[in-house]
Amino acid sequence: MKSLLFFAPLFKPHAKRLAVALLLSLITLAAGTALLGVSGWFLTATALTALGVSFNLFAPSAMVRGFSFIRILSRYFEKLVGHNATLSLLSDLRRWLFAALFPRLPLADRSLRHGDLVTRMTADIDALDTIFLLAIGPFIAALVLGSAVSAVLFTLLPDAGWIYLGAILISVLVIPVALASATKTLGRQTVDAAANLRAHTLDAIAGHDDLVSFGQTGFVAARFDAASQRLAMLRTRQGLTTTIAATGVQIVTGLGLLAIVLVGLDAVGAGTMDGPVLAGVVFAALGSFEATAVIVRSIGKLGTALASAERLHQIATTPIAIGDPARPIACPKTGSVTFEEVTFGYPNAEPVLADLSLTIAAGEHVAISGLSGAGKSSLLHLVLRLFDPQAGAVRIDGTDIRDFAQADLHANVALLSQDSPVFLDTVRNNLLIANPDATDADLYAALAKSRLETTIRALPRGLDTILGETGATLSAGQARRLCLARTLLAPASIVLLDEPTAGLDRDTELELLADFPNALAGRTVVLATHALLPQNTPFRQLVLRDRALEMV
């Protein structure tokens, strides 16, 4: 519950709309209860009228129509207001989570898998809608309505009042609390199993080529099947537990109504209550139990919601690994990049760099090759200060980058990698990400340097052409060139290229590598690549081997 209280400030801006939704829910339940009560009284009295008892049909008939109309309207607006408030709340929760994550990326806990992170950003956020829309609202409404019906019964039929009060408290409090207790651990296990399944799925998609090449598809399929079966088993247990609780509520409801009928029949026989009034009371009591079914279904999901809240709280309060200095200094717009006896390794792993020193002059282009896992990407990440070295320093123009504000550093260092994204948007908006103030002339100049200007001008709407998902309307080489153009638009004086030609055919790879020197002229460039560079390339070529750099 502490994790839920952590999110309370995010609920406050939506409190009014949530309160309106709660009021409408209460009106809906009250109108439904009154409708059943009046209908029971009306039908019974009408039957007695046929036996010769005088009865006015118009008033109760109007009441039935009125309560029906109120119930329809209140139900509609309850869904409209409640869902609108909940969706707005979930939107705020997502913005809050992204804002909390940005200063914490990359996460210090590298054991958190990609699929688990995706789950926390999607499914765990969605699970929180259970808290109000399906649990708190119906719970409060049931208590208020149950209190009102109890007051009526204590007035008309005191003995039945105690019976009803006991039944409604068992249905609204006792059984849901027992269900919440029974599903708390189960909910956490279900959330973990779902996250594990998503992680397996994303891992298999990302590593598909390697899995096929090494003949591991059978192993991965078996692992996926085992994860699916565990999740299905946990959800079946969760559903069975909820069904048992719902059955218990129905039994309590039935026994309570039966007891009320028996007590009422004694009162009718004694002449202290009319038969039509008894029918109305019984039907009204039945209608008041409507909210209990919703409560049980939602409480069955409460364990999942609590586990999701705990996971979100955990990731949002993770210590910030890389912080800004108390008094940052301005990052130089130009200058050399120096690695000064740098030692770096990831947590619980051997260092990938040891006492590494390298000086790259301002405007110089350096290419670093090496085996996978040798530390090429780590070297670039240190320049971006995604991590700090365990020893030594990375300097720009002689100043330790830890003395700069990260935003200032990132504005002066641009990264182009094989994973640089092309968004489902126009060519223009894909480019303006790097420089929102760029003119069309600036955009076409960058496209010309990346040798993509002719292609874009030939599109039906030029810069305003919408690209497909992940740039599907472009070839792989064109998509990479578009990302290069975006990098050129950035005001950064230092450009890091991390395997920018990976996945391209050799001809396209050579063309792109040959274009880099001219396109990036005047900027300091560090290229990490497996590719064999073209002959006569102006890059100073180094190889990273055994945690140290060597000349090629």
Side-chain angles (χ1 to χ4, degrees):
M1 294 301 293
K2 291 182 179 179
S3 296
L4 286 180
L5 294 177
F6 176 78
F7 295 96
L10 295 173
F11 280 74
K12 290 184 70 174
H14 306 276
K16 290 183 179 179
R17 282 188 293 178
L18 293 173
V20 171
L22 174 59
L23 177 61
L24 289 169
S25 174
L26 181 58
I27 292 173
T28 300
L29 288 172
T33 300
L35 176 61
L36 278 176
V38 171
S39 298
W41 168 62
F42 181 30
L43 292 173
T44 305
T46 302
L48 293 178
T49 300
L51 298 177
V53 180
S54 176
F55 184 71
N56 181 3
L57 299 176
F58 297 104
S61 178
M63 292 172 65
V64 168
R65 291 171 184 261
F67 285 130
S68 298
F69 190 64
I70 292 172
R71 187 174 186 273
I72 291 170
L73 283 180
S74 60
R75 175 70 75 187
Y76 172 77
F77 285 105
E78 173 207 345
K79 298 299 183 185
L80 182 65
V81 175
H83 283 80
N84 180 267
T86 302
L87 291 174
S88 297
L89 172 62
L90 294 181
S91 178
D92 286 352
L93 285 171
R94 288 191 177 92
R95 283 196 294 269
W96 162 82
L97 180 60
F98 275 90
L101 281 177
F102 279 143
R104 291 174 169 81
L105 294 176
L107 294 173
D109 182 10
R110 291 177 58 84
S111 64
L112 187 65
R113 298 164 67 186
H114 182 206
D116 194 17
L117 182 59
V118 170
T119 298
R120 298 189 193 214
M121 297 171 68
T122 55
D124 285 347
I125 289 287
D126 290 338
L128 294 185
D129 70 354
T130 302
I131 301 302
F132 178 82
L133 193 62
L134 298 177
I136 297 177
F139 174 75
I140 295 176
L143 284 179
V144 173
L145 185 60
S147 300
V149 174
S150 295
V152 172
L153 282 172
F154 277 118
T155 301
L156 300 177
L157 200 61
D159 291 341
W162 290 110
I163 296 171
Y164 171 82
L165 183 60
I168 198 70
L169 289 177
I170 292 173
S171 299
V172 176
L173 291 177
V174 177
I175 292 179
V177 168
L179 177 61
S181 177
T183 57
K184 182 178 180 180
T185 301
L186 190 58
R188 182 177 293 106
Q189 293 173 342
T190 301
V191 170
D192 290 342
N196 188 45
L197 182 59
R198 284 187 178 88
H200 285 328
T201 303
L202 291 175
D203 288 347
I205 293 172
H208 176 264
D209 293 344
D210 292 338
L211 293 173
V212 173
S213 299
F214 292 100
Q216 294 298 308
T217 55
F219 166 77
V220 172
R223 186 177 65 176
F224 182 84
D225 186 56
S228 299
Q229 290 183 14
R230 172 165 174 75
L231 179 59
M233 180 268 293
L234 290 170
R235 286 181 171 169
T236 299
R237 286 175 55 190
Q238 192 174 36
L240 179 60
T241 305
T242 302
T243 301
I244 292 172
T247 302
V249 169
Q250 294 299 319
I251 291 173
V252 170
T253 301
L255 291 176
L257 291 174
L258 179 60
I260 292 172
V261 169
L262 294 176
V263 172
L265 289 175
D266 288 341
V268 171
T272 58
M273 175 175 279
D274 293 335
V277 175
L278 174 60
V281 166
V282 172
F283 277 97
L286 176 61
S288 67
F289 281 95
E290 178 184 350
T292 60
V294 179
I295 293 172
V296 169
R297 287 198 303 270
S298 60
I299 292 298
K301 301 177 183 178
L302 186 59
T304 301
L306 290 173
S308 295
E310 290 174 3
R311 286 159 51 86
L312 291 172
H313 176 263
Q314 176 190 14
I315 197 172
T317 55
T318 300
I320 297 176
I322 306 296
D324 281 339
R327 295 181 178 179
I329 62 176
C331 181
K333 297 304 179 184
T334 59
S336 61
V337 176
T338 303
F339 293 85
E340 189 177 276
E341 298 182 347
V342 168
T343 296
F344 173 72
Y346 296 102
N348 304 317
E350 291 291 324
V352 293
L353 304 173
D355 295 324
L356 182 145
S357 295
L358 170 67
T359 297
I360 304 171
E364 184 181 8
H365 293 186
V366 172
I368 300 174
S369 60
L371 298 174
S372 294
K376 302 187 299 298
S377 295
S378 299
L379 198 69
L380 303 186
H381 292 166
L382 290 174
V383 180
L384 282 165
R385 208 184 166 213
L386 298 182
F387 303 95
D388 283 335
Q390 280 82 43
V394 180
R395 302 180 184 275
I396 294 179
D397 203 18
T399 303
D400 194 323
I401 63 173
R402 286 172 286 201
D403 293 332
F404 306 140
Q406 292 179 79
D408 197 12
L409 174 65
H410 294 163
N412 195 46
V413 181
L415 172 67
L416 173 64
S417 72
Q418 59 176 312
D419 298 322
S420 294
V422 175
F423 298 98
L424 179 57
D425 206 332
T426 63
V427 175
R428 183 192 308 278
N429 289 338
N430 266 277
L431 294 175
L432 289 177
I433 293 172
N435 186 355
D437 298 325
T439 64
D440 284 6
D442 295 331
L443 300 184
Y444 277 119
L447 290 169
K449 288 183 179 180
S450 63
R451 295 210 299 170
L452 199 60
E453 180 186 12
T454 302
T455 300
I456 299 304
R457 287 189 183 276
L459 294 175
R461 301 187 62 188
L463 291 172
D464 294 316
T465 301
I466 295 179
L467 304 174
E469 186 78 33
T470 67
T473 56
L474 302 175
S475 68
Q478 289 171 338
R480 209 66 57 84
R481 288 182 182 280
L482 182 66
C483 293
L484 173 60
R486 184 168 60 207
T487 303
L488 296 176
L489 280 167
S493 62
I494 300 170
V495 177
L496 310 176
L497 306 173
D498 189 6
E499 301 288 359
T501 63
L504 302 180
D505 62 77
R506 182 56 178 167
D507 290 339
T508 305
E509 179 181 70
L510 287 173
E511 289 177 359
L512 197 60
L513 289 170
D515 288 340
F516 283 149
N518 290 331
L520 297 169
R523 306 196 194 201
T524 305
V525 178
V526 185
L527 166 65
T529 182
H530 283 100
L532 183 63
L533 297 180
Q535 292 183 353
N536 302 320
T537 181
F539 282 89
R540 173 158 61 110
Q541 299 184 50
L542 304 171
V543 61
L544 184 57
R545 183 185 296 120
D546 295 329
R547 300 180 290 183
L549 285 169
E550 303 173 2
M551 291 292 295
V552 174

